[in-house]
Amino acid sequence: MDFTFTEEQQAAVEAARAVFSDVAPDRTPSPALTPGAVAEDIDRHLWHELARTDLLGLTLSPEHGGAGLDPIALCLVLRESAKVLARVPLLESCAVATAVERYGERTLAADLLPRAGRGELILTVGANGRSGHDPAELAVSARPYGEGDGSDGADGETGGPSRGSGWVLDGIQSAVPWAQVADWIAVPAHTAGGRPVLALVPRTRDGVTLADQVSTSGERLAEVRLEAVRVEPRELIDAAGCWDWLRSLLTTGTCALALGLGERVLAMTADYTGRREQFGFPVATFQAVAVQAADRYIDLRAMEATLWQAAWRISTDAGGPLPAPGDVAVAKIWASDGVRRVVQTAQHLHGGFGADTDYPLHRYHAWAKQIELSLGPAAAHEEALGDLLAAHPLS
């Protein structure tokens, strides 16, 4: 077995480190000192730099101007982005673009993906449903145009467009990242038969309204309300497994963010405790401090191992004792619990200095809490893992 990354994946990491080297975590106001969102827009300079270095098209095929790499490479880049709290929808835009290329119609892919890779389009996705606790696809209904609106769905003087001419969406997706500045929003929905589908909706489409929301980390979110929103046939992806795969990629990407953030926080803690002295010795030499730091290092290594297992499963469609969502659930359990423990220990070992808003640790703590709960906390994934184990008993 070979656990090393390919040369192409390692090159993506080096390119990401070069881009993120100029990013300061405190470039925007502190969420602790800001009543609303810390900024109205994403970090546009960083977004353009990511596009210039071809990192936005990392997982797209050369046919659409991409590098043709896999979700593992994307997770490697996301890991680096979290170390500097990069304020860009890198995960959402790249994940949606990858799903469109994998499952969508060729004409839709040809129209959207080259521009998304060049940073000319921003894509986002509603993955939290109405409340964040129920499956996202149940929050929005999708029906063929003409069904249930009093028309017979046939072309003609009174019938309007045929049923095959499009779909109608109704429902709400909450906490959609950066929906206010996105060009297209991927909306999971369900048909009358309960089948999950994924619709690509322009933000400015008639019937789409946005209400501002703010994340724990101070980033701008939106409640996206859809009222009789028309989408073209090619804008609705009904391929089997599309939404499940995209949700797994988003969850795995969130685990990569948790790992990168945790690694940066532990490094900050090691640096601080190595310089802070009590009784004439660095506090890092005290056994109680060293043991706590060692426990958090073990958390990070477990987060890393489970992350790459999940990323490998969704990148290769490889088989296993459980379906790939089982490995994704394990990774998110470790990511949610692990990143929480890392930032809590860091705050403890920093003492009062960790709460100083002139020091960036409190920002990492806020981002960690957001990541911990995004796409479900550990308890939700433990329940999902239990269901999978019940359905697929291990021999």
Side-chain angles (χ1 to χ4, degrees):
M1 301 178 69
D2 185 0
F3 294 98
T4 59
F5 298 110
T6 66
E7 291 184 5
E8 292 81 6
Q9 291 165 344
Q10 291 171 343
V13 173
E14 292 303 318
R17 286 174 178 166
V19 171
F20 294 130
S21 64
D22 293 331
V23 177
D26 55 357
R27 182 176 291 180
T28 57
S30 165
L33 305 176
T34 309
V38 297
E40 295 297 306
D41 200 0
I42 65 173
D43 187 336
R44 290 285 176 176
H45 173 74
L46 176 57
W47 190 252
H48 295 319
E49 285 299 300
L50 291 169
R52 183 184 62 81
T53 52
D54 298 326
L55 290 175
L56 296 182
L58 197 66
T59 57
L60 299 179
S61 68
E63 174 188 356
H64 296 120
L69 300 184
D70 56 18
I72 294 175
L74 175 59
C75 288
L76 285 165
V77 174
L78 290 168
R79 179 186 189 177
E80 298 302 317
S81 75
K83 294 177 182 179
V84 296
L85 308 182
R87 300 180 47 262
V88 287
L90 179 62
L91 169 58
E92 294 81 10
S93 198
C94 290
V96 171
T98 307
V100 169
E101 181 171 70
R102 184 181 175 104
Y103 293 99
E105 288 193 10
R106 294 182 62 85
T107 56
L108 179 66
D111 285 350
L112 296 185
L113 302 189
R115 290 186 290 161
R118 295 193 297 267
E120 298 168 4
L121 287 181
I122 295 177
L123 310 176
T124 191
V125 57
N128 295 301
R130 185 163 190 158
S131 65
H133 299 290
D134 299 318
E137 66 272 20
L138 299 183
V140 177
S141 64
R143 57 182 170 84
Y145 179 80
E147 185 177 281
D149 60 4
S151 70
D152 61 7
D155 288 326
E157 194 170 63
T158 59
S162 67
R163 294 192 182 201
S165 66
W167 294 76
V168 178
L169 304 179
D170 290 282
I172 295 174
Q173 291 286 349
S174 65
V176 180
W178 294 111
Q180 296 89 340
V181 298
D183 298 287
W184 290 73
I185 303 171
V187 179
H190 67 279
T191 65
R195 180 165 49 91
V197 295
L198 185 70
L200 275 294
V201 183
R203 173 176 50 84
T204 56
R205 181 71 52 86
D206 289 343
V208 176
T209 56
L210 307 180
D212 280 351
Q213 296 177 318
V214 181
S215 72
T216 302
S217 58
E219 301 302 331
R220 200 176 181 196
L221 307 175
E223 178 189 81
V224 178
R225 185 179 296 270
L226 304 105
E227 297 181 353
V229 175
R230 287 282 306 273
V231 294
E232 300 176 10
R234 70 168 190 160
E235 294 172 347
L236 188 134
I237 304 173
D238 61 357
C242 174
W243 168 237
D244 290 338
W245 187 87
L246 175 55
R247 180 175 54 199
S248 290
L249 177 55
L250 290 166
T251 306
T252 305
T254 303
C255 296
L257 295 174
L259 177 61
L261 186 150
E263 289 176 329
R264 177 61 185 138
V265 166
L266 190 60
M268 292 168 61
T269 305
D271 178 68
Y272 175 78
T273 56
R275 291 183 289 105
R276 175 77 166 89
E277 291 190 359
Q278 286 185 359
F279 312 111
F281 296 94
V283 296
T285 62
F286 298 168
Q287 186 178 31
V289 172
V291 167
Q292 291 183 71
D295 284 343
R296 300 296 77 83
Y297 177 82
I298 293 171
D299 277 335
L300 291 174
R301 298 292 66 82
M303 290 164 64
E304 183 177 21
T306 54
L307 163 65
W308 299 132
Q309 171 71 8
W312 173 73
R313 287 293 303 277
I314 64 175
S315 295
T316 62
D317 294 324
L322 291 177
D327 288 299
V328 174
V330 171
K332 189 57 165 68
I333 292 167
W334 272 105
S336 292
D337 283 344
V339 77
R340 183 187 70 252
R341 288 192 291 259
V342 168
V343 294
Q344 286 176 345
T345 297
Q347 288 281 9
H348 175 64
L349 296 182
H350 274 82
F353 195 60
D356 187 347
T357 55
D358 290 330
Y359 186 68
L361 182 60
H362 74 286
R363 296 175 183 262
Y364 285 91
H365 202 151
W367 275 65
K369 178 55 66 175
Q370 180 68 29
I371 290 171
E372 176 194 349
L373 301 178
S374 293
L375 294 157
H381 289 275
E382 288 167 354
E383 182 178 353
L385 181 60
D387 291 341
L388 285 169
L389 287 168
H392 303 271
L394 301 179
S395 57

